[in-house]
Amino acid sequence: MEETIIAPTTTSDLKVPFESCLMEGRPDPCALVIVGASGDLTGRKIVPALYELYCNDGLPDPCFIVGCARTAMDDSGFREKMKQAIDRHKTLTEAEWAGFARLLHYRPIAYDSSASFSALAESIGEMEKAYGTDGNRLFYLAIPPSLYETTAKMLGESGLSREQGANWTRIVVEKPFGRDLESAMALDRALHEHWKEHQIFRIDHYLAKETVQNILMFRFANAIFEPIWDRRYIQSVYITAAESLGVEHRAGYYEQAGVLRDMFQNHMMQLLSLIAMEPPAQFEDDRVRDEKVKIYRSLRSFPLNDLSGYLMLGQYGTGEVGGAPVSAYRAEPGVNPRSLVPTFARLKIFVDNWRWQGVPFFLTSGKRLAEKRTEIVIQFREIPHSMFRRILGEGISANRLVMGIYPEEKIQLTFQTKNPGAKVCLRTVTMDFHYSQDYKGPVLEAYEKVLLDCMLGDHMLFWRQDGVELCWSFLTPVLEACETCGDRAERLSFYEAGSWGPDNNRSEKRYGMENCN
Ligand code: NDP
């Protein structure tokens, strides 16, 4: 048979032009209702994302946006507040802003008042008639988790959760989904009193980052990686989400949550499942989520009587970040000066299945670390036998695959190559792919993608309750062990702000904590 000669690939070989990959098309006309619209998330993420969608013709046509919260404001006050919020994050153009601002409305509500929600329902009904949006509705709960249950119930009791005819009604819930297994199950029961599972969208915006979405494409749209993606070739996996920022203005939340609830129960577990899961037969939301859930079911329980080899907890002390001195966690506004809340954790996790038996997954996340960096490193095994041993000794570095999520969006493979010259010398080189390399067009930010998917009704990037519960089942015993036992203080190592976290040799140092106990 004649062999096809394949020409070198260029970007012109792409089957689909980049521009047409940005969006599937506009979602159905709908009303977007943000509950908690006076808050941080609305101004920093949700409304700027909606504005960006509007500018890229990604918002439904027609649609309107209603902000609700206790704060007294009228439409023009809300518009002004949102204008300033968008201006802080995006380049705002007056013509586009004028068009977008017309879609923004505000209705004050009291979260526990039925009358207030009935009035909201009436307002939404009137606006639907005026805009012609057909009755599709998306409710985004951008409120503290303590208000989720009441608000979901109030929306339900006022008839706002009902789907009529072909119209859809959806509710978006932000993490954290509970603070342990029991509270996560209670929240779910409360949501299901008035909402069906297909109406609930549990957001994890990490999943909407392009590089995170690409993990599945990289693994399952290429034939060459999957055969080596297992215990025979992979020595260990490192998943790191380091932040250089401290707790900032979220001390109230963080003091209750700590790093395990804030980062591990959600984002880190999602990254782990994307790396470890089996290929589903179809790229469909429930097929993908089924495979993730199988990974959560295979997580080996932590040995609670011997946690030290599996869990390291730390809290940042004083130090320097970006050349400027920064305070210790305990000195941050709103933090208990004797707080034992961890701001850093490293977990060693095993996935007990055929593919991953014996391969440790090291998950690390922390605040006030040396830099903001999110990446996944696949460390391959060393070569089984070195024919260069007599010349080079034992030191041949094993291959390593780095999937950079932030700051560099990249995929990098390291391998050994010969140095030019008569002598046999090896060096480690890298094959690099950077997302920005040959693409300069617009990209969807994570919140733009999740909002779009909520409007399109695509659950692929959202948590399903069985996954939430399995992750809590895995982490809750550790949280209980860390939070209730007598040696809680001994478990916590202090680390210097601006470092890479606690170091076994230095953890006796106190980094400005000497007078805090
Ligand atoms: P905020 O603390 O800013 O609260 C949002 C709004 O809720 C406030 O403007 C306030 O509005 C109302 N509110 C706050 N506290 C109370 C209270 N005790 N009783 C009644 N109403 C209250 O929250 P965020 O915007 O930061 O976050 C919203 C949700 O999103 C939270 O669940 C959070 O965990 C989650 N999240 C937030 C992220 C962020 O970056 N901010 C990131 C990921 C998730 P008013 O007083 O006007 O009613």
Side-chain angles (χ1 to χ4, degrees), residues 35-45 68-73 106 109 111 140-148 174-176 205 249-250 253 262 267 447:
V35 185
S38 57
D40 177 69
L41 187 71
T42 305
R44 243 170 11 95
K45 298 288 183 189
C68 327
R70 291 174 308 183
T71 302
M73 256 189 291
Y106 185 84
I109 49 161
Y111 303 110
Y140 198 124
L141 302 194
I143 39 177
S146 54
L147 296 172
Y148 290 167
E174 271 283 353
K175 66 141 205 187
H205 71 275
H249 58 284
R250 303 191 74 211
Y253 155 75
D262 186 45
H267 311 318
Y447 268 91

Side-chain angles (χ1 to χ4, degrees), residues 94-388:
E94 281 304 326
E96 283 168 323
W97 165 251
F100 180 70
R102 275 196 289 275
L103 307 179
L104 293 178
H105 301 272
Y106 185 84
R107 296 290 177 269
I109 49 161
Y111 303 110
D112 55 356
S113 149
S114 316
S116 170
F117 278 84
S118 300
L120 176 66
E122 210 171 298
S123 275
I124 292 173
E126 284 162 13
M127 284 189 249
E128 280 172 337
K129 282 198 198 106
Y131 280 90
T133 52
D134 295 346
N136 297 318
R137 296 161 176 178
L138 182 71
F139 293 91
Y140 198 124
L141 302 194
I143 39 177
S146 54
L147 296 172
Y148 290 167
E149 295 182 20
T150 322
T151 309
K153 182 167 171 246
M154 287 292 164
L155 287 168
E157 286 178 355
S158 59
L160 284 169
S161 61
R162 218 171 294 134
E163 293 187 300
Q164 282 163 344
N167 292 340
W168 51 258
T169 301
R170 298 176 186 143
I171 187 165
V172 183
V173 190
E174 271 283 353
K175 66 141 205 187
F177 317 118
R179 51 174 288 107
D180 53 21
L181 177 59
E182 203 180 312
S183 54
M185 289 168 77
L187 170 62
D188 193 55
R189 277 194 300 276
L191 286 171
H192 278 98
E193 270 180 37
H194 294 279
W195 304 83
K196 298 197 175 68
E197 184 62 24
H198 75 267
Q199 295 180 277
I200 303 171
F201 286 72
R202 300 176 191 85
I203 273 198
D204 190 330
H205 71 275
Y206 244 62
L207 287 177
K209 292 175 191 280
E210 284 292 342
T211 35
V212 174
Q213 292 181 66
N214 189 51
I215 296 172
L216 292 190
M217 314 301 158
F218 178 82
R219 289 190 55 201
F220 301 133
N222 294 294
I224 60 172
F225 301 110
E226 209 37 35
I228 56 167
W229 208 261
D230 65 21
R231 57 187 291 276
R232 290 170 304 159
Y233 293 92
I234 294 178
Q235 171 83 40
S236 45
V237 177
Y238 299 83
I239 302 178
T240 304
E243 291 178 67
S244 56
L245 290 176
V247 68
E248 305 228 285
H249 58 284
R250 303 191 74 211
Y253 155 75
Y254 205 81
E255 276 283 274
Q256 298 303 314
V259 68
L260 290 174
R261 289 191 180 85
D262 186 45
M263 291 297 292
F264 284 80
Q265 196 279 334
N266 35 67
H267 311 318
M268 302 300 276
M269 292 312 243
Q270 283 286 353
L271 294 178
L272 169 73
S273 64
L274 289 169
I275 292 296
M277 67 186 253
E278 297 299 319
Q282 300 291 333
F283 190 56
E284 288 170 1
D285 49 9
D286 268 331
R287 299 293 77 77
V288 170
R289 297 193 299 175
D290 287 345
E291 295 303 332
K292 288 182 177 178
V293 160
K294 285 184 201 162
I295 292 297
Y296 301 140
R297 221 171 257 136
S298 313
L299 297 174
R300 188 187 301 172
S301 305
F302 286 105
L304 294 177
N305 49 4
D306 179 26
L307 272 177
S308 58
Y310 293 82
L311 171 70
M312 181 190 266
L313 295 176
Q315 189 189 87
Y316 65 83
T318 51
E320 266 192 21
V321 174
V326 294
S327 348
Y329 176 70
R330 289 178 175 188
E332 300 273 20
V335 172
N336 177 352
R338 291 174 195 279
S339 175
L340 292 174
V341 168
T343 59
F344 173 98
R346 177 172 298 135
L347 267 59
K348 182 163 80 175
I349 292 178
F350 288 95
V351 179
D352 277 338
N353 65 14
W354 191 284
R355 187 191 281 260
W356 294 112
Q357 194 52 231
V359 179
F361 286 73
F362 294 95
L363 273 56
T364 305
S365 181
K367 288 195 176 292
R368 280 280 186 242
L369 297 180
E371 61 184 81
K372 181 168 163 63
R373 172 171 294 277
T374 308
E375 68 179 18
I376 297 166
V377 176
I378 311 292
Q379 180 64 54
F380 289 97
R381 290 190 185 281
E382 289 179 358
I383 50 172
H385 163 73
S386 171
M387 65 180 188
F388 307 107

